[in-house]
């Protein structure tokens, strides 16, 4: 199913913002955003730039039809960063809610990525 993944929001102007925190779920969030970008679901954008109030990045995000935030853990750093900048998050994905336990391993495992991408594809398809 992940090969045919599209966002159910009916827009081609979708921003993907991800966590890239110092944990397995942070790195998995980042890799998910890369995979979703490569599959044409949306365009990966820089959450740190939003937090840093970089004007051009803020304007780019404001121009998007939909914003998807992918957080690794319940701290929800990505979602909070976007909301503090005044951006509306249309979809929020939390990796730990998908059955992945947070740990300090920074390497994304192949099966973990494939399994999580499949779950995310189901979420975005609805």
């Amino acid at each position: 199913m992940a090969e045919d993944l599209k966002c159910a929001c009916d827009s081609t102007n979708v921003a993907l913002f991800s966590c890239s925190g110092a944990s397995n779920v942070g790195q998995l969030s980042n890799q998910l955003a890369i995979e979703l970008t490569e599959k044409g679901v949306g365009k990966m954008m820089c959450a740190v730039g939003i937090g840093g109030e970089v004007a051009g990045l803020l304007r780019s995000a404001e121009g998007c039809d939909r914003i998807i935030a992918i957080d690794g853990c319940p701290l929800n750093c990505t979602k909070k960063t976007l909301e503090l900048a005044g951006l509306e998050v249309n979809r929020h994905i939390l990796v730990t809610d998908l059955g992945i336990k947070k740990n300090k391993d920074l390497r994304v495992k192949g099966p973990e990525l494939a399994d999580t991408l499949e779950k995310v594809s189901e979420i975005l398809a609805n």
Side-chain angles (χ1 to χ4, degrees):
M1 179 171 178
E3 299 81 36
D4 300 327
L5 181 58
K6 294 293 177 203
C7 181
C9 64
D10 296 325
S11 175
T12 57
N13 191 14
V14 177
L16 300 166
F17 289 94
S18 67
C19 169
S20 60
S23 69
N24 62 323
V25 293
Q27 295 307 304
L28 184 54
S29 297
N30 190 65
Q31 191 61 45
L32 285 167
I34 292 168
E35 295 289 327
L36 293 170
T37 297
E38 289 177 350
K39 292 184 181 312
V41 173
K43 178 182 171 191
M44 187 174 183
M45 299 180 77
C46 182
V48 174
I50 298 299
E53 299 178 348
V54 177
L57 296 176
L58 284 165
R59 279 193 302 275
S60 292
E62 289 165 350
C64 291
D65 297 330
R66 306 276 292 173
I67 293 177
I68 298 172
I70 306 170
D71 274 305
C73 74
L75 293 176
N76 295 322
C77 298
T78 302
K79 183 178 184 222
K80 288 177 183 175
T81 296
L82 296 168
E83 290 174 342
L84 284 171
L87 298 168
E88 179 184 352
V89 175
N90 304 104
R91 282 286 185 126
H92 182 233
I93 295 167
L94 185 56
V95 172
T96 53
D97 281 352
L98 302 176
I100 306 293
K101 285 190 146 303
K102 183 177 180 177
N103 62 47
K104 295 296 180 185
D105 188 357
L106 298 178
R107 302 273 181 210
V108 175
K109 308 295 188 267
E112 198 170 66
L113 175 59
D115 291 345
T116 308
L117 184 58
E118 185 70 26
K119 291 175 184 176
V120 169
S121 70
E122 291 173 15
I123 292 168
L124 294 178
N126 296 314

